[in-house]
């Protein structure tokens, strides 16, 4: 008889509550859990493919080793023996910095994945730890550390009467940054909030799903988000709409910001941003006149060439309007598995996010951003001889060949490694196909996990510890276990928040997680003990109340920090792009793709196989081409071909394609079946953010011609 058990999805970071139907040891169905107090039965099309993901023919169920005749099966433990021996020789000959570890988006879906990757790199002593965070949204890390943070937390979407989304389409992406729309039944939740009186502003060059619901849609010209935001700040300051008492008590640098935005009066800002002046002014007044609610961004604006400047202005807007929880209120996003910090009506002093004192790359003056190296130096670190050259790369749940800038350069880099190890559920990923070893891990319904990744969106103290639902194929272990086994063989350690991981005998997942999140409000072992029938555990007593701030505390927001006002002035004075590349390519999310993994599931491929170039019908006539024709898209760095698709919701002059697609081994003739990667249009060493190293990966100037 079928058995139905409770768990949660780990296909993406939303971690939706699921009912899992199991029959004869196989998952036959997953669906949203209607009794869950947060998700209320919601699930998405990608999450509902977990049965096929686990049992379909694309699933890698045995580890692989490359030989003269191609890949052959190898026992995972035997593979780890060989990999450890090769790593040991590389470290002995070239030092620990010769080894790099990359944790991709899929690595985050195992609750121990990224934590163990960081611990493994620290145990080796290598500076070369990378994650997908520095590919798409490093500016959020930078601004959080650079400008200080409010210890009581920002307003949540649940309490907002106004919301401002910039380049964020959470109905599709299931991504809601702090204060934004949480990924819990996002369409229904947004419509309910609008019905209750929420005012919604959306800035996006296309009429996205959320933009179609907005009170004000600002179809901003790609890459010109700073002009739009500077104009809005100008209006708020000139009309005195900001929270004067909050600014006087907690904010420095207002004069520097006022000086910078003086060059962006509404008419000039609107012209630069490509929006109507009256709409820009209306948006400024609508946001400032709200009582609660924040400005939030998606990944697109950060990838559009001025990521840190955009995020600085977003932070400035939230700070000017005082969009933070005050003394006596419940603190936002209580978090159960995150280290406990004081929740006070006070500004935590800023931290230095990068630069002097941080491990340095050999390239472009870039250093660690927080705990990791910018992804966009990895290819050069591999290709360039000398002390510190990366010779071995371990990829965990990622696909650098399709996700990193300059695909051909990354292909050369991967080919030049002495050792490439991919931990992946799919041997057909572009990176895995080029690996020396492909290690097959357990999948999500075959392992224990906690909801630590998604708790940045929970507005109540909600926690989950799920058990394994089914047995994994024989011989498979988890990603963190593979790293433990390598560290054990190399004689290195895994330093964790709660102390060194035991290295004499591999600990249980529960014990590892307890060490990894030590200092949190409730340890995973406690949540596991409190779990009944697989349901989420709610801890109302752990929801902190914002305490009074220390009147002598020195912390203040500094809007002049990091030289950002001067950068805004320089941005306003910069020459506009030449007409050689008259279109701007922007990134987009898809309901039927999961970043660089998961595209090969039959139900998802049935929806779309290629990576279309969405264009306004007027632009199709301008090229000229028809809907479904192949077009050639060229930038200063390279070119791709794509299938043109008419999209009336696009801003004219803008083309939109998904990021992280394609394989350089598949030529243009395979475009309809496989699609192409937009990273072939960008270079990490020509236009990049000088703070984070992030490449221009959206708002790319391109020319389009018939193919």
């Amino acid at each position: 008889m079928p058995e139905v058990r409770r768990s949660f999805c780990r296909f993406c970071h939303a971690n939706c509550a699921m009912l899992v139907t199991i029959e004869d040891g196989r998952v036959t169905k997953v669906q949203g859990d209607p009794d869950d107090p947060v998700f209320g039965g919601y699930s998405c099309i990608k999450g509902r493919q977990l049965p096929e993901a686990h049992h379909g023919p694309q699933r890698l169920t045995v580890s692989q080793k490359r030989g003269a005749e191609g890949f052959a099966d190898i026992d995972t433990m035997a593979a780890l023996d060989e990999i450890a021996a090769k790593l040991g020789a590389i470290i002995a000959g070239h030092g620990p910095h010769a080894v790099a570890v990359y944790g991709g988006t899929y690595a985050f879906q195992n609750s121990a994945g990224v934590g163990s990757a960081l611990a493994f790199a620290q145990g080796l002593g290598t500076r070369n730890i990378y994650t997908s965070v520095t590919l798409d949204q490093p500016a959020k890390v930078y601004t959080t550390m650079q400008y200080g943070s409010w210890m009581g937390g920002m307003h949540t979407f649940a309490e907002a009467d106004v919301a401002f989304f910039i380049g964020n389409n959470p109905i599709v992406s299931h991504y809601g940054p702090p204060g934004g729309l949480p990924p819990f039944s996002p369409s229904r939740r947004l419509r309910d909030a609008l019905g209750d009186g929420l005012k919604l502003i959306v800035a996006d060059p296309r009429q996205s799903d959320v933009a179609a619901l907005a009170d004000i849609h600002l179809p901003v010209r790609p890459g010109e988000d700073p002009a739009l935001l500077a104009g809005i700040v100008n209006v708020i300051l000139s009309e005195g709409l900001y929270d004067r008492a909050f600014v006087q008590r907690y904010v420095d640098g207002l004069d520097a910001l006022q000086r910078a935005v003086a060059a962006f009066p509404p008419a000039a800002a609107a012209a630069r941003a490509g929006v109507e002046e009256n709409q820009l002014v209306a948006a400024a007044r609508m946001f400032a006149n709200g009582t609660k609610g924040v400005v939030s961004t998606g990944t697109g604006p950060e990838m559009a060439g001025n990521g840190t400047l955009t995020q600085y202005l977003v932070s400035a807007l939230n700070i000017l309007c005082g969009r933070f929880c005050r003394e006596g209120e419940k603190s936002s996003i209580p978090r159960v598995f995150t280290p406990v910090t004081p929740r006070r009506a006070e500004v935590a002093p800023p931290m230095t996010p990068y630069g002097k004192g941080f491990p340095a790359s050999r390239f472009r003056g870039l250093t660690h951003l927080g705990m990791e190296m910018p992804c966009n130096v990895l290819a050069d670190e591999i290709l360039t001889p000398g002390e510190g050259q990366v010779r071995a790369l371990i990829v965990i749940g990622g696909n650098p060949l399709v996700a990193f800038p300059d695909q051909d350069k990354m292909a050369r880099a991967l080919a030049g490694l002495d050792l490439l190890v991919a931990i992946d559920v799919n041997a057909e990923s572009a990176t895995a196909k080029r690996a020396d070893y492909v290690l097959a891990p357990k999948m999500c319904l075959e392992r224990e996990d906690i909801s630590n990744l998604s708790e940045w969106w929970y507005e109540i103290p909600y926690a989950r510890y799920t058990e394994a639902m089914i047995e994994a194929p024989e011989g498979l272990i988890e990603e963190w276990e593979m790293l433990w086994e390598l560290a054990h063989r190399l004689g290195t350690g895994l330093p964790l928040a709660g102390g060194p991981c035991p290295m004499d005998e591999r600990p249980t997942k529960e014990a590892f997680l307890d060490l990894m999140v030590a200092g949190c409000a409730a340890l995973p072992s406690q949540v596991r003990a409190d779990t009944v029938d697989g349901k989420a555990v709610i801890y109302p007593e752990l929801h902190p109340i914002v305490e009074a701030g220390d009147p002598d505390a020195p912390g203040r927001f500094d809007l002049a920090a990091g030289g950002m006002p001067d950068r805004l002035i320089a941005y306003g004075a910069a020459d506009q792009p030449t007409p050689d590349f008259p279109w701007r390519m922007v990134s987009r999310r898809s309901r039927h793709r999961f970043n660089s993994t998961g595209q090969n599931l039959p139900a998802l491929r049935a929806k779309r196989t290629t990576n279309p170039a969405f264009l306004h019908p007027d632009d199709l006539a301008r090229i000229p081409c028809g809907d479904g024709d192949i077009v050639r898209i060229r930038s200063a760095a390279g070119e791709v071909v794509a299938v043109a698709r008419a999209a009336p919701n696009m801003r004219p002059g803008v083309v939109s394609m998904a990021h992280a697609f394609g394989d350089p081994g598949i030529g243009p003739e395979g475009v309809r079946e496989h699609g192409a990667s937009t990273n072939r249009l960008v270079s990490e060493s020509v236009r990049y953010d000088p703070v984070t190293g992030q490449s221009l990966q959206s708002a790319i100037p391109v020319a389009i011609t018939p193919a």
Side-chain angles (χ1 to χ4, degrees), residues 522-533 535-537 539 541:
L523 287 173
S525 56
Q526 181 63 54
V527 176
R528 186 180 202 175
D530 292 339
T531 298
V532 177
D533 192 27
K535 296 179 180 179
V537 184
Y539 294 100
E541 70 280 6

Side-chain angles (χ1 to χ4, degrees), residues 71-140:
F71 282 108
D73 293 353
I74 184 173
D75 175 76
T76 296
M77 290 301 175
L80 291 169
D81 287 339
E82 296 182 13
I83 293 167
K86 293 176 186 291
L87 288 174
I90 289 170
I91 293 169
H94 305 284
H97 297 312
V99 180
V101 180
Y102 171 65
T105 305
Y106 207 74
F108 285 87
Q109 309 317 320
N110 185 330
S111 54
V114 173
S116 61
L118 178 61
F120 179 74
Q122 291 175 330
L124 288 182
T126 178
R127 64 175 174 256
N128 286 300
I129 175 70
Y130 303 80
T131 80
S132 53
V133 169
T134 62
L135 282 177
D136 58 12
Q137 49 188 327
K140 289 184 176 65

Side-chain angles (χ1 to χ4, degrees), residues 339 423 464 507:
I423 304 176
R464 301 196 67 131

